[in-house]
Amino acid sequence: MNKTRLTTLLLLAGLLMSSAAAQQSTRASTNIEASLINSDPVPLQSGEQGDLSFKIVNNGDKEAQNVEVRLLDNYPFELKPDRQRNYSLGDMVSGQEYQISTSVLVADDAPDGSNNFRVQISYGDFSVTRNIPVEVQSEDIELNVANLKTQPQQLMPDTDNNMMSVDIVNNGEKTAENVVLNLYFPGFFQETSSFSTRQALGNIQPGQIKTAEFNFDINETAPAGSTSINGDLQYSAGDSTSEITDPVSFNLYMEGKPQFQITGVESNLRTGNTGELRLEVKNIGAEQSSSTRIRVLDSSDQPFSYDSSSKYIGTLEPGKTGEAVFEVDTESDAAVKQYLVDFETRGVKSTEVFVEDETVQVDVTNGKTEESGIPVPLLGGLIVLIGAGIYIFRRRKSSSEQDEESE
């Protein structure tokens, strides 16, 4: 019985000694760790540079020989080019630590919160990469286009002195410096000055709004419907000399309207005569014109008078033509030449009246005979008088001859 107890005790003692030896063997190891001491500023700011201090510690109970540390670039951190990257720390006994300080560049789009700065630690045949959590605060510049307005509210073809305003909002957390908005107008927008497509807005702070205004004309070829306006925002950050360019795009709606063009002119005007002036009018716009009329704009220095200064054409659909005929009296002493005559065409869309002016060329020819220089009516009268005289003379001569024969 005593023998059995003794054997059991010996076995238990052996097990305890083996466990203690195993634990002692496990503890006798190296464990090199890296941890942050501090950063400057706290937290680091996106798009800026900052300083890091961290320590390398041997938390094992065994010496680590020939310890080397390499600082790694890892988004969103990049070691400044002039900073040391490799460190040789030599042998590190248990509990020994080294401090390393360096400077890093933080990416512009670094996210908020904890981001890892990485170091590679090597000793003997062993190598490990350690993550050092570092807090970052995002300070992005976020410029947005908002609150687009035009004056007049409805843009139309063939109009002058139009104005467009647009707000630039900084929804980021950092000031945008030297902000410039450039617009690239379509061909039917006409610039009225050097500021028609470029507006310098200066600095825009976080949460601030600045308004850019552009003035322009629109020519008659502008199509109805949605028109895309493209451009870009140029700016820089305070800690960078490089310029940032962001594309912008928005749509304007172009309202259609009736537009008129005189596409044909026929006339037979002669000095001292009444003739016709025939005009063909076309609706080149995108909308129907009702109650369309064309009116001659009388000029006191022109030798014309009209049976009516205005002629009714009626409804003109887009792309359709109508005709107006004026009866014109040309003064007898009018110069034989080409005259410029002004006309006004007006039409109605809903309750709005649209008016356009146009000048046409009208030829006047000579209404007098060139040979005698005597007006035709007077020449005709003279011929009648001469004929009557000859007739009377012959009658009298014949009567006289008959009287002589009878005697």
Side-chain angles (χ1 to χ4, degrees):
M1 196 65 177
N2 290 332
K3 247 178 172 183
T4 302
R5 287 181 179 176
L6 180 60
T7 302
T8 302
L9 289 174
L10 289 173
L11 288 173
L12 288 172
L15 288 171
L16 289 173
M17 290 177 65
S18 297
S19 176
Q23 290 179 2
Q24 180 69 23
S25 175
T26 302
R27 284 196 298 269
S29 63
T30 56
N31 182 21
I32 309 295
E33 297 288 347
S35 60
L36 181 70
I37 298 175
N38 58 51
S39 70
D40 183 20
V42 181
L44 295 183
Q45 306 296 309
S46 63
E48 299 184 3
Q49 69 180 43
D51 297 327
L52 292 179
S53 293
F54 57 94
K55 60 185 178 181
I56 305 296
V57 183
N58 184 358
N59 288 328
D61 54 7
K62 183 179 178 182
E63 182 182 68
Q65 297 179 340
N66 300 319
V67 178
E68 294 184 351
V69 177
R70 178 175 175 81
L71 310 188
L72 304 177
D73 291 334
N74 178 62
Y75 175 83
F77 303 112
E78 180 182 344
L79 198 67
K80 287 191 67 177
D82 59 346
R83 293 301 188 263
Q84 182 177 344
R85 185 176 293 274
N86 298 304
Y87 294 82
S88 295
L89 307 185
D91 299 338
M92 293 184 64
V93 298
S94 176
Q96 188 175 2
E97 69 176 47
Y98 284 94
Q99 292 188 6
I100 297 175
S101 296
T102 191
S103 296
V104 295
L105 303 175
V106 186
D108 290 337
D109 57 349
D112 277 328
S114 180
N115 291 268
N116 289 325
F117 179 74
R118 289 183 178 177
V119 297
Q120 184 183 57
I121 302 172
S122 303
Y123 50 94
D125 295 330
F126 185 78
S127 179
V128 65
T129 298
R130 300 297 189 191
N131 292 329
I132 303 176
V134 179
E135 288 296 315
V136 173
Q137 183 179 57
S138 174
E139 283 198 352
D140 290 338
I141 297 173
E142 186 181 346
L143 296 182
N144 299 111
V145 176
N147 199 25
L148 176 66
K149 295 180 180 179
T150 63
Q151 182 63 40
Q153 187 173 358
Q154 292 182 332
L155 298 178
M156 292 185 179
D158 198 19
T159 53
D160 297 334
N161 301 319
N162 299 284
M163 190 272 287
M164 175 176 61
S165 65
V166 61
D167 290 343
I168 307 301
V169 186
N170 187 355
N171 290 318
E173 300 171 334
K174 193 173 184 179
T175 298
E177 299 186 1
N178 305 315
V179 179
V180 176
L181 176 58
N182 299 296
L183 296 184
Y184 309 120
F185 283 153
F188 48 82
F189 277 41
Q190 299 175 334
E191 301 176 22
T192 58
S193 72
S194 58
F195 301 103
S196 291
T197 59
R198 184 181 188 275
Q199 285 287 305
L201 302 175
N203 297 346
I204 304 181
Q205 299 176 359
Q208 188 178 12
I209 301 174
K210 287 195 175 181
T211 302
E213 294 185 351
F214 303 88
N215 295 285
F216 54 93
D217 298 337
I218 304 175
N219 69 28
E220 63 181 14
T221 65
S226 181
T227 295
S228 179
I229 306 294
N230 298 315
D232 58 57
L233 276 168
Q234 297 176 339
Y235 59 94
S236 60
D239 57 350
S240 174
T241 57
S242 62
E243 188 176 70
I244 302 167
T245 301
D246 291 335
V248 297
S249 180
F250 48 87
N251 291 326
L252 292 176
Y253 186 79
M254 195 71 59
E255 188 78 12
K257 71 172 186 177
Q259 294 174 260
F260 309 107
Q261 185 178 52
I262 298 175
T263 55
V265 181
E266 294 181 10
S267 65
N268 59 353
L269 305 187
R270 302 172 64 193
T271 59
N273 286 268
T274 299
E276 286 186 347
L277 175 58
R278 190 179 300 270
L279 302 177
E280 187 180 76
V281 179
K282 183 176 182 179
N283 180 3
I284 61 172
E287 297 290 335
Q288 179 193 81
S289 170
S290 60
S291 302
T292 310
R293 304 186 72 90
I294 185 167
R295 182 170 70 92
V296 62
L297 301 177
D298 289 331
S299 177
S300 60
D301 61 350
Q302 290 187 336
F304 305 122
S305 58
Y306 302 86
D307 63 327
S308 174
S309 62
S310 178
K311 295 294 180 179
Y312 182 77
I313 297 176
T315 298
L316 283 180
E317 298 289 343
K320 299 300 182 180
T321 59
E323 188 177 73
V325 180
F326 292 88
E327 190 174 294
V328 184
D329 291 329
T330 305
E331 296 175 2
S332 59
D333 59 351
V336 176
K337 66 174 187 177
Q338 192 175 73
Y339 290 85
L340 298 179
V341 184
D342 296 326
F343 288 89
E344 176 189 85
T345 307
R346 63 171 56 212
V348 178
K349 173 194 169 187
S350 299
T351 59
E352 191 172 2
V353 177
F354 296 90
V355 179
E356 291 189 23
D357 295 339
E358 192 169 353
T359 301
V360 301
Q361 297 178 346
V362 177
D363 292 323
V364 173
T365 60
N366 192 357
K368 304 175 184 179
T369 59
E370 296 294 339
E371 294 181 358
S372 65
I374 303 174
V376 173
L378 181 57
L379 182 60
L382 288 174
I383 292 172
V384 172
L385 289 174
I386 292 171
I390 293 172
Y391 175 79
I392 293 171
F393 174 78
R394 286 179 177 177
R395 285 291 303 269
R396 287 181 178 178
K397 183 178 181 181
S398 175
S399 176
S400 176
E401 289 176 349
Q402 288 177 3
D403 289 343
E404 289 177 358
E405 288 178 359
S406 63
E407 291 179 357

